[in-house]
Amino acid sequence: MSVLISRNPATGEELGSAPIFSPDQVREAVKAARAAQVEWGQLTVRQRNQRLKRLTRALVEQADSIAALIVAEQGKNQVEAYGEVISALELLHFYSRRAAAILRTRSISPRLGVLRSHRLVAQPRGVVGIISPWNYPFTLSMEPLIAALVAGNGVVLKPSEYTPQVGLKIGELARLAELPRGLVQVITGDAATGQALITAGIDKLVFTGSVANGRKVAALAGEHLVPVTLELGGKDAAIVLADADLDRAADGILWGALLNAGQACLAIERVYVEQPVAQLFIEKLTEKAARLRTGPASDPANEVCAITTPAQLNTIQRHIADARQKGARVLLGGQPLEGSGRFFPPTIVVDVNEDMAIMSEETFGPVIAVQTVKDAEEAIRRANQSRYGLTASVWTKDMRRGRRLLTRLEVGDAALNDHGASAGYAEIGWGGRKASGYGKTRGAEGLQEMVVWQHISWPRLDIPLMGFPYSERKVRFVRSLIKLLFGNWQERLAALKNQNFP
Ligand code: NAD
């Protein structure tokens, strides 16, 4: 059987192997999750939350080993690795307090259905498939997994082929939490394993990954009528206005661009700066970026850590070469570090334009391209020109104007004087628009996507208003109904007088 060998991107050290699940094994996993889900789905939200307290306990107790594994397999700084654990715990905490209310049975009173009682009931979908990427291997697997479980579903998780050990750790956490046997399945493998999952009879899919693969996933899911949430790539913009606190903007943009060595869907990759302050801002940005340390996460002081995959390093180099060839200037960085391990230092590129891949395609590395613009209007226009729509930020001291500009940005999350401000907040649904995907994870919206709102109804008074046989009298009734319900007051009065009721 083929296996996936994990290697530490900072050292090349082998970390372990994981099987590549065959389509038959994937179907078996879905079957097992479905069998376990039957009982789980019948518990109340409160009962499920009670059981999930043990998952919280397991995460708290295992936080160090989870973070160490994320650092080893994916390569990010330890601060950020612990952040992944906190995001998952925070979501468990939020749903433990709010899920019962979000999923409570609702009573509704349709005016055409007054003779019956109506309720909307949150039914679990069944088995939720999760296909996750390598850049936040824990958070982006755990968040949909937690929402799916709270809502009463079984889960089959397909982690990235680059971070299968983190995926297997999630399986171990489910066992430590003593969740019902079979309810959480982890199937390691590659794109073909992911495809097998989509066609294995799941009831819902949460896919986080690239736009190119998201398209293929959406097409396959469409063929099998599997509802899908797509969390895809970004090419996120920051807009620096002339009145911004330039030090604050440069610090914030550096963090927003270089966290996880830029391998974040929400990372700032394009900066539009107003002409009067462009030179000063670029100087500050470059100076501050030059002070950041690039190297392995084993040294907690290294801010810019490993590039996880060889393919990612190639993309970064390709985008910089393309920009250089088309006339851009690289003010800082631009070359991978020499020696073992994959590292790329903070890189600042200017004199860029939209014909360059660095301004139009997702780079996913510690690279910031800065374009000077005439004014805020031009900045908004250029920011919105992108096919992506995940996050954006505006940097200004004028809060009122800044807030107005945020609402004109075609993204799922827009922040003033901060970037990707909602990432990690359990209460706020996460998701992009345009090519960055559709649907939400986290928050009330993320939980609602894990259920089907079933309508149930029963008679209050057993008088059937409509039904066979049809007659001339019934035609007159529905005609007068139009006047009665939607006409002006004279028409309503006339309809009442006619009394064409069945
Ligand atoms: P990827 O698309 O290469 O892979 C993601 C997952 O999909 C992996 O598990 C992979 O095995 C699987 N996969 C690939 N092709 C598939 C197919 N045809 N059918 C089914 N499964 C398939 O993405 P990646 O390189 O792992 O992750 C980086 C990408 O994810 C970036 O584009 C990044 O912006 C995006 N991302 C988005 C968000 C978000 O919240 N919007 C968050 C993190 C990452």
Side-chain angles (χ1 to χ4, degrees), residues 131-134 140 158 161 207 209-210 213 232-233 265 362 430:
I131 299 179
S132 57
W134 49 260
L140 297 175
K158 208 297 280 174
E161 54 272 50
F207 173 84
S210 61
N213 290 333
L232 308 179
C265 53
E362 186 177 48
W430 174 260

Side-chain angles (χ1 to χ4, degrees), residues 68-95:
L69 186 57
I70 296 171
V71 167
E73 197 174 36
Q74 190 272 320
K76 60 169 54 80
N77 178 287
Q78 295 172 42
V79 172
E80 296 176 16
Y82 279 101
E84 289 209 45
V85 184
I86 292 172
S87 294
L89 279 166
E90 180 66 0
L91 195 63
L92 276 164
H93 176 70
F94 171 60
Y95 287 152

Side-chain angles (χ1 to χ4, degrees), residues 29-51:
V30 173
K31 227 192 218 168
R34 190 174 299 292
Q37 185 271 337
V38 175
E39 218 174 299
W40 182 252
Q42 283 165 15
L43 300 177
T44 64
V45 175
R46 283 202 173 79
Q47 288 168 328
R48 289 195 288 264
N49 268 327
Q50 192 62 29
R51 301 283 303 270

Side-chain angles (χ1 to χ4, degrees), residues 152-297:
N153 301 285
V155 169
V156 181
L157 166 67
K158 208 297 280 174
S160 166
E161 54 272 50
Y162 295 104
T163 50
Q165 296 301 320
V166 174
L168 292 175
K169 181 79 189 173
I170 291 171
E172 185 192 324
L173 289 167
R175 283 190 292 281
L176 287 172
E178 295 169 27
L179 291 177
R181 221 177 133 76
L183 188 67
V184 172
Q185 301 279 330
V186 178
I187 51 164
T188 44
D190 50 18
T193 318
Q195 284 171 332
L197 176 59
I198 300 168
T199 59
I202 53 173
D203 305 288
K204 160 87 188 166
L205 176 71
V206 179
F207 173 84
T208 309
S210 61
V211 173
N213 290 333
R215 243 186 218 116
K216 291 184 201 158
V217 164
L220 190 58
E223 230 174 85
H224 292 259
L225 294 178
V226 174
V228 51
T229 301
L230 293 177
E231 299 287 357
L232 308 179
K235 184 80 200 168
D236 297 353
I239 295 173
V240 182
L241 300 185
D243 73 340
D245 174 337
L246 293 187
D247 278 300
R248 172 80 193 86
D251 287 336
I253 287 172
L254 277 182
W255 190 74
L258 305 181
L259 80 166
N260 200 13
Q263 301 164 111
C265 53
L266 57 74
I268 298 169
E269 300 203 351
R270 300 174 287 155
V271 177
Y272 299 107
V273 54
E274 275 190 304
Q275 203 278 330
V277 294
Q279 196 182 336
L280 185 57
F281 170 75
I282 290 167
E283 274 168 24
K284 283 181 185 287
L285 189 74
T286 310
E287 222 171 80
K288 287 170 188 283
R291 276 189 243 137
L292 297 174
R293 291 151 296 196
T294 305

